[in-house]
Amino acid sequence: MTAESTVASPGQQRTSQDAVAVLDPRGPAAGRRAAGRRGPRRPRPACRVSLWLVDGCATLPAALVLPAAQRYTLVIVLLALGVSGLNRRASLYDTSVVPGVLDELPAVCGRIAVGWAAIVMLSPLRSLPPAVLVAAVAVHCLAACAGREAVHGLRRRALRRRPCPALVVGPVLVARRVSAALLRQPGCGVRPVGLVADDPDVRGDAEDEPGLPVLTTAQDARRAVIQNGVETVLVVGAATRVERAAVLRGLAAYGCVLWELDADPPSYGLGGRRQGTGQLAGFSRRLLGSGDGRRRGSVGKRVLDVVLSGSLLVLAGPVLLVCALMLRVTDGPGVVFRQERIGKDGRPFTMLKLRTHRPASDHEAATRWSVANEQDMSPFCHFLRRTSLDELLQLWNVVRGDMSLVGPRPERPYFVAKFSQAHPGYPARHRMRTGITGLAQIQGLRGDTSIEDRCRYDNAYIDNWSLWQDVCILLRTAAQFVRPTGS
């Protein structure tokens, strides 16, 4: 896909029905270069490496403060690596923000002090006089802050010369107002090149008309990202984050950094403050996660799955054996039910359950929505579904890695295709491994309940995933183990 970016004249309005061409702050030539971009981009690591080098080199002047006999090379190297690790944990290498030296000073100096304290306690530097130690820490802090400010200053100057192109997502009137404010502040380093909104025909005041194209579909937004090298997406208001969730996930998949802006006066809580990560042209902003399910804690999630599901399989072994024998006696052979379901990234797998219903045909098994109230089921089968004991075999799917203990419930291919057409956010549920229970299930969304509501809860779970959230869902599931309908 190649297209040349064009500049819209003031007051001129373009919509997604026209050819998508957005304002490029770097000029037509740069627009042609960006047009060749296809698919997600990886962030350039140059700034991150520069900050890492600055933090490492800042230990050298601090080492010169120490007596010559106590300048242990290994200790200095370990100190540099330790401080860099602490800074990384504190997101001080996040290149999506260009902070000032005063903004970073408490975090940087605090971690340097922690690093020195650990090194002094675990190395021959325990004999250092307190005055020498304080001087070394002070020099280290001064060198680190000065170096980091130099790197950030270069980035700020580069952004003033070549502002970062951005898309503004939100109601068209508010998005135009935010875009106009950003265009009036060229020093902020961000220049809107297009609006992602529903209604391009709504008009505002003349001063709120920056002449940017209005993109009304996800396809147009992605095309604008490719054509103009867009790296930043500004989401106006928390409601937009929910209403345009599918579009935002698509833009994040193309490597864009998502920020939420507060375009309205803030409503303060009891403490008189509201959490945020800085401001942009006077608008409070917060960094939004991509929510792609591939978080740092995925290893911890898998460990929790294997340990807990393996333990539960051992404990539930006698219960499963009794249930299987009862099914064999009351309903005949074939106590294990195998069915194809769709898992993470759209991959099919075979899900195991205790058989509580015998479909008339393979077509019925694949396309019938629910059999929870089937009259032909025996009382024991109704009991299994009501208590969810028929789903205990899915613990083996968790051990195998087909499923997780917590995640969106897996569905059959027929319904995945059907629901994906009816609900735009449904395919995004497959960003994470499917689960036995989930946020939607503990809200009572099982069986014949709203797919739209399930989809919303599942995507909210993925977007805000944490290991502690998994533990809470498992505890709430255990408390609701006996429920009236099966899934």
Side-chain angles (χ1 to χ4, degrees), residues 150-471:
V151 173
H152 293 323
L154 291 174
R155 288 193 64 206
R156 282 192 291 269
R157 285 194 290 272
L159 286 174
R160 280 195 293 268
R161 290 195 302 267
R162 296 179 59 187
C164 181
L167 293 179
V168 181
V169 184
V172 65
L173 289 179
V174 181
R176 284 193 179 118
R177 179 160 55 88
V178 170
S179 299
L182 293 172
L183 291 173
R184 290 194 299 267
Q185 300 288 331
C188 68
V190 174
R191 184 174 178 83
V193 296
L195 312 178
V196 181
D198 290 326
D199 189 356
D201 296 326
V202 177
R203 305 291 296 181
D205 297 334
E207 63 178 15
D208 291 337
E209 292 286 347
L212 298 177
V214 179
L215 315 173
T216 58
T217 67
Q219 181 180 2
D220 290 336
R222 288 193 295 268
R223 187 180 298 122
V225 168
I226 296 172
Q227 290 176 355
N228 294 268
V230 172
E231 299 178 356
T232 302
V233 175
L234 306 176
V235 184
V236 183
T240 302
R241 183 180 60 192
V242 177
E243 295 167 358
R244 310 287 293 187
V247 175
L248 295 177
R249 279 190 290 267
L251 294 174
Y254 268 72
C256 296
V257 178
L258 273 58
W259 291 92
E260 180 182 332
L261 295 187
D262 290 330
D264 297 321
S267 55
Y268 297 103
L270 295 176
R273 297 180 61 187
R274 192 162 58 172
Q275 295 295 323
T277 54
Q279 57 83 30
L280 181 66
F283 297 108
S284 297
R285 67 175 181 178
R286 287 170 296 279
L287 186 64
L288 300 179
S290 62
D292 59 358
R294 295 183 289 273
R295 308 291 180 96
R296 297 175 190 171
S298 59
V299 175
K301 182 177 177 67
R302 182 60 183 152
V303 169
L304 177 67
D305 286 342
V306 172
V307 172
L308 197 52
S309 61
S311 302
L312 289 175
L313 267 179
V314 173
L315 295 174
V319 178
L320 282 171
L321 181 59
V322 170
C323 292
L325 290 175
M326 287 290 295
L327 280 176
R328 180 65 175 81
V329 171
T330 59
D331 277 36
V335 298
V336 177
F337 179 64
R338 296 174 174 84
Q339 189 175 65
E340 184 181 38
R341 298 288 178 106
I342 300 299
K344 186 176 183 292
D345 297 327
R347 292 191 295 266
F349 70 96
T350 301
M351 192 182 76
L352 305 178
K353 295 179 70 172
L354 293 177
R355 184 184 296 277
T356 56
H357 173 74
R358 294 183 184 274
S361 64
D362 292 339
H363 178 73
E364 179 184 329
T367 61
R368 186 172 180 181
W369 173 236
S370 176
V371 296
N373 299 316
E374 179 62 49
Q375 299 299 319
D376 294 338
M377 278 196 293
S378 66
F380 182 68
C381 291
H382 275 295
F383 168 76
L384 290 179
R385 294 189 66 86
R386 188 169 59 251
T387 59
S388 298
L389 290 174
D390 61 324
E391 298 180 4
L392 283 178
L393 276 180
Q394 293 169 38
L395 291 171
W396 179 244
N397 287 115
V398 176
V399 173
R400 285 169 47 92
D402 299 327
M403 297 174 62
S404 175
L405 287 171
V406 182
R409 283 292 294 167
E411 196 45 78
R412 287 160 283 178
Y414 171 81
F415 289 106
V416 169
K418 180 179 179 180
F419 296 152
S420 296
Q421 292 179 353
H423 306 283
Y426 193 86
R429 299 167 68 255
H430 299 101
R431 294 172 288 158
M432 180 175 280
R433 191 178 282 118
T434 53
I436 295 178
T437 186
L439 184 61
Q441 281 66 46
I442 64 174
Q443 299 295 329
L445 297 172
R446 294 175 177 265
D448 192 14
T449 54
S450 169
I451 301 301
E452 181 181 356
D453 290 345
R454 290 196 204 186
C455 177
R456 186 174 65 254
Y457 274 104
D458 288 338
N459 283 315
Y461 162 76
I462 299 173
D463 291 338
N464 301 282
W465 180 85
S466 70
L467 198 59
W468 178 245
Q469 183 181 201
D470 278 7
V471 173

